[in-house]
Amino acid sequence: MKITDLLRADTINLNLTGQTKSAVIDELVDTLDQAGRLHDKATYKEAILKREAQTTTGLGDGIAIPHAKTDAVKVPAIAFGRSKDGIDYESLDGKPTNLFFMIAATEGANNDHLETLARLSVMLMDDAFRQKLLEVTSNEEVLELINQKEQEKESEDNGNAKNVTNKKILAVTACPTGIAHTYMAADALKAKAKELGVDIKVETRGSGGAKNVLTPEEIASADAIIVAADTKVEMNRFSGKPVVEVPVADGIRKPQDLIEKALSGNVAAYQGSGNTSASEDKKSGQNAFYKHLMNGVSHMLPFVVGGGILIALGFMFGITSHVPGDEDYNRFAEALNTIGGGNAFGLMVPVLAGFIAMSIADRPGLAPGMVGGFMAAHGGSGFLGGLIAGFLAGYVVIGLKKALANFPASLEGIKTILLYPLLSIFITGMVMFFVIDKPVSLFNTALGEWLTSMGTANAVILGIILGGMMAIDMGGPINKAAYTFGIAMIADGILTPHAAIMAGGMVPPLGIALAIFLFRRKFTREERGAGVTNVIMGASFITEGAIPFAAADPARVIPSVVAGSAVAGGLSMLFDIGLPAPHGGVFVFPLIEGNPFMYLLAILIGTVVTALLLGILKKNVAE
């Protein structure tokens, strides 16, 4: 498949008018949508923004390749846009970006499509090719230029003989989406290795799976290993070899530095910690605690959301309608409560603990983590006990791996089958039984009594704090910390904090949408077009709808949305609103405990506060 099978004349825009990153993304999404390549424009854009939130796709040298793989794509396609003056796209080199290739891949994109996209990524590494793209005057000229370059690249690849020297490096490249960065990093490393006279083989881990996989024999004979990845990579196979671990972007931007460092003799040998992935903490700067916690929370959420809504639906028949013998007893309500509370919620804490431990120690951590979490759920220490159990089990397994590192090779097989599960479950279980469960249970009881007896003023302060936290980073660690606290309170039967949290999370996109309606001259044409989308996202409790606006103008937008969210959270607590459902926005309003109209009023007041602050703080935009 040729690149021009995916990039057509109707998906090219040589005169982008947007002056911001969000505006350019909107224009390119519109181009794909108007060309009939998308099922759902809003969902596709959401996927693009989610990818941007991981790491910028502004690669430097004037190039950006925003991309997403989602069911919202009807037909795999590429949109090309050009900005003559360039815009600030948060690129890796900090320079303006002129050339934009937006890649739309279907969820089930086949290998032909993915390999085609990889070829495009590689071609963009050529300075002369990029310069020609800046100078073309018609859409047809773009297509002709790309066809010509693709033919040249194919001939060049076919004519290249393998470069063999006395130095051999192996590399692995991978990015979360696996569409562009993976292959650009691979090509940059191969090109620089050829220039330096170094033999290299690169394993790529893209959307089509692992390609050019490194064999044990190749690893054994290699002088060094480079892992340029932002996602999971099997690392234990490199034990004893010098390994350089960096983000995938460094593979694109600094191939010579990486190769020279790998061969310098100053790189420590990889020890084989038992993890199956390159250290995401080092590459992204992400806190290890947060990474492990979010792995547990993300696997727990389906149980929380599904179970919580089923429990809440059962309450519609009456608060005690699930209790046999009660005057309000309803068999269907009992079934809903049994499924949601007795089973889905019953698995919530064990799953949380199990996947925290698995994030730390890989698969051997799952069993002790789940056992510790199960003990926490049934022993009284609850959600907090499950958190402790997860981290305890993970690091117990790490300790066992180190303690058994010198185990005889002939008995290696029984470590995973027998020793790890036996010893880790025993140690985790004993610590939970004798040390953790009782004091944490007492703490939970005290916390519940404090929240239940909290005076109105203190409750409002808590609501202000929780609501504001939801808007500070909109889906980031602070937002997730507040959300996780709300879930823990639901699990303990205390429903008012999570109502404040959901109110705070709904306000940012709703407030921005109202500001667009009231103060249209404060927003660009592209931003105004996102107003309706933000109403839907805010109503659905999807705080991330505000991210593009905050990214474009953080000094004004973030204080405005935090203030509005804090007001909404505080009013929710003032009105004594409880919410048993952990997600859903307006769609779970019928399940509210308290006056739903007062809850709606709290959200509306917070929305108005945000909108008015934006109207005051933001400057008019020149059309």
Side-chain angles (χ1 to χ4, degrees):
M1 176 179 285
K2 298 193 300 181
I3 293 171
T4 48
D5 291 332
L6 301 177
L7 175 68
R8 309 300 288 271
D10 60 351
T11 60
I12 296 175
N13 182 348
L14 294 179
N15 297 292
L16 294 173
T17 59
Q19 299 298 308
T20 65
K21 179 176 181 177
S22 61
V24 166
I25 287 175
D26 281 339
E27 283 190 78
L28 293 171
V29 171
D30 284 341
T31 298
L32 289 169
D33 187 51
Q34 291 166 10
R37 305 305 199 272
L38 305 178
H39 284 300
D40 187 331
K41 172 182 169 182
T43 302
Y44 174 70
K45 180 183 174 182
E46 184 181 343
I48 286 286
L49 295 178
K50 183 177 180 181
R51 173 61 186 88
E52 291 294 328
Q54 293 173 321
T55 53
T56 181
T57 57
L59 303 175
D61 293 326
I63 308 167
I65 309 183
H67 54 274
K69 187 172 71 166
T70 168
D71 287 337
V73 175
K74 183 188 300 183
V75 180
I78 302 171
F80 170 58
R82 184 180 67 186
S83 171
K84 282 285 189 181
D85 298 328
I87 63 123
D88 179 6
Y89 199 87
E90 303 171 4
S91 62
L92 296 173
D93 60 4
K95 296 179 181 178
T97 302
N98 305 88
L99 304 176
F100 306 87
F101 284 86
M102 178 172 278
I103 297 172
T106 58
E107 193 64 56
N110 62 37
N111 287 343
D112 285 344
H113 292 144
L114 298 171
E115 289 171 4
T116 303
L117 299 176
R119 285 204 305 278
L120 170 64
S121 303
V122 168
M123 286 161 52
L124 290 171
M125 302 299 294
D126 187 327
D127 293 340
F129 177 63
R130 295 197 304 273
Q131 186 59 40
K132 290 177 182 177
L133 285 174
L134 287 171
E135 297 168 355
V136 294
T137 58
S138 69
N139 295 2
E140 291 70 24
E141 197 175 342
V142 172
L143 299 176
E144 182 180 345
L145 178 63
I146 288 176
N147 271 330
Q148 180 183 347
K149 179 64 179 177
E150 194 168 17
Q151 291 171 4
E152 291 175 2
K153 183 66 178 168
E154 185 177 350
S155 299
E156 178 185 325
D157 290 344
N158 291 337
N160 280 342
K162 186 178 180 183
N163 179 38
V164 180
T165 71
N166 62 343
K167 291 292 184 181
K168 181 175 182 179
I169 285 180
L170 302 180
V172 181
T173 62
C175 76
T177 310
I179 293 176
H181 291 58
T182 298
Y183 304 102
M184 295 184 77
D187 194 67
L189 287 167
K190 287 188 286 187
K192 186 56 65 175
K194 179 181 178 182
E195 180 183 319
L196 297 174
V198 175
D199 184 21
I200 191 169
K201 177 180 177 179
V202 184
E203 173 182 304
T204 56
R205 307 186 73 84
S207 293
K211 302 288 181 65
N212 215 26
V213 176
L214 307 178
T215 67
E217 293 77 17
E218 289 169 333
I219 294 171
S221 62
D223 292 292
I225 315 290
I226 296 172
V227 178
D230 291 329
T231 188
K232 288 188 176 182
V233 172
E234 173 58 51
M235 294 295 291
N236 283 336
R237 53 185 168 155
F238 303 137
S239 293
K241 289 289 181 180
V243 176
V244 176
E245 296 181 55
V246 294
V248 68
D250 283 5
I252 300 170
R253 303 293 306 159
K254 306 174 182 177
Q256 182 167 341
D257 291 349
L258 296 181
I259 292 170
E260 290 176 349
K261 180 178 180 180
L263 296 176
S264 66
N266 297 321
V267 178
Y270 186 76
Q271 297 301 314
S273 66
N275 294 324
T276 60
S277 63
S279 174
E280 295 173 13
D281 314 333
K282 295 176 184 176
K283 295 191 292 291
S284 66
Q286 189 182 74
N287 180 271
F289 174 85
Y290 176 73
K291 184 194 76 169
H292 302 318
L293 174 62
M294 285 303 105
N295 189 62
V297 170
S298 65
H299 284 89
M300 176 193 70
L301 276 180
F303 297 87
V304 176
V305 174
I309 292 176
L310 288 175
I311 293 170
L313 288 173
F315 288 157
M316 295 178 70
F317 294 91
I319 297 299
T320 57
S321 60
H322 62 285
V323 180
D326 190 270
E327 60 180 13
D328 293 330
Y329 174 71
N330 182 290
R331 178 69 170 165
F332 186 67
E334 182 189 7
L336 289 173
N337 189 271
T338 300
I339 297 167
N343 295 285
F345 259 37
L347 287 169
M348 179 179 73
V349 175
V351 168
L352 170 74
F355 281 94
I356 288 174
M358 190 172 179
S359 175
I360 296 169
D362 201 32
R363 190 167 299 182
L366 182 62
M370 292 198 73
V371 170
F374 192 82
M375 292 178 69
H378 291 270
S381 57
F383 189 87
L384 182 57
L387 288 177
I388 296 171
F391 284 97
L392 170 65
Y395 288 110
V396 162
V397 172
I398 292 295
L400 287 172
K401 287 182 176 182
K402 292 180 178 179
L404 301 176
N406 296 321
F407 210 64
S410 59
L411 300 176
E412 186 73 18
I414 72 167
K415 286 199 295 188
T416 302
I417 296 171
L418 175 63
L419 295 181
Y420 288 158
L422 173 63
L423 296 176
S424 62
I425 290 173
F426 171 74
I427 295 170
T428 302
M430 295 297 280
V431 174
M432 289 298 298
F433 187 87
F434 286 107
V435 180
I436 303 298
D437 242 353
K438 189 64 175 177
V440 176
S441 177
L442 292 173
F443 173 79
N444 284 340
T445 301
L447 178 62
E449 291 174 351
W450 175 70
L451 288 171
T452 303
S453 63
M454 182 180 284
T456 301
N458 290 335
V460 170
I461 292 171
L462 178 62
I464 289 171
I465 293 171
L466 292 174
M469 287 174 69
M470 291 300 292
I472 290 175
D473 55 357
M474 291 166 282
I478 298 174
N479 171 288
K480 289 295 189 293
Y483 185 72
T484 302
F485 176 77
I487 291 173
M489 291 299 97
I490 291 176
D492 288 338
I494 302 169
L495 307 182
T496 51
H498 196 72
I501 286 164
M502 187 176 291
M506 293 171 68
V507 162
L510 290 175
I512 287 170
L514 180 59
I516 290 171
F517 177 76
L518 296 176
F519 312 105
R520 295 183 65 79
R521 295 182 62 191
K522 305 282 186 179
F523 299 89
T524 65
R525 177 173 58 84
E526 292 77 12
E527 288 174 333
R528 293 197 296 268
V532 175
T533 302
N534 268 271
V535 171
I536 296 170
M537 296 181 80
S540 304
F541 184 38
I542 302 174
T543 316
E544 288 83 350
I547 288 176
F549 296 86
D553 191 4
R556 296 177 179 86
V557 173
I558 292 177
S560 301
V561 297
V562 169
S565 294
V567 168
L571 289 175
S572 174
M573 293 291 275
L574 177 65
F575 299 151
D576 196 27
I577 306 298
L579 187 62
H583 213 289
V586 297
F587 302 104
V588 295
F589 273 27
L591 311 177
I592 285 170
E593 291 190 5
N595 190 326
F597 296 104
M598 296 304 289
Y599 189 49
L600 179 61
L601 179 63
I603 294 169
L604 289 177
I605 292 174
T607 298
V608 171
V609 169
T610 288
L612 292 177
L613 285 173
L614 287 170
I616 294 168
L617 296 176
K618 283 183 71 65
K619 298 178 181 179
N620 288 345
V621 174
E623 293 291 347

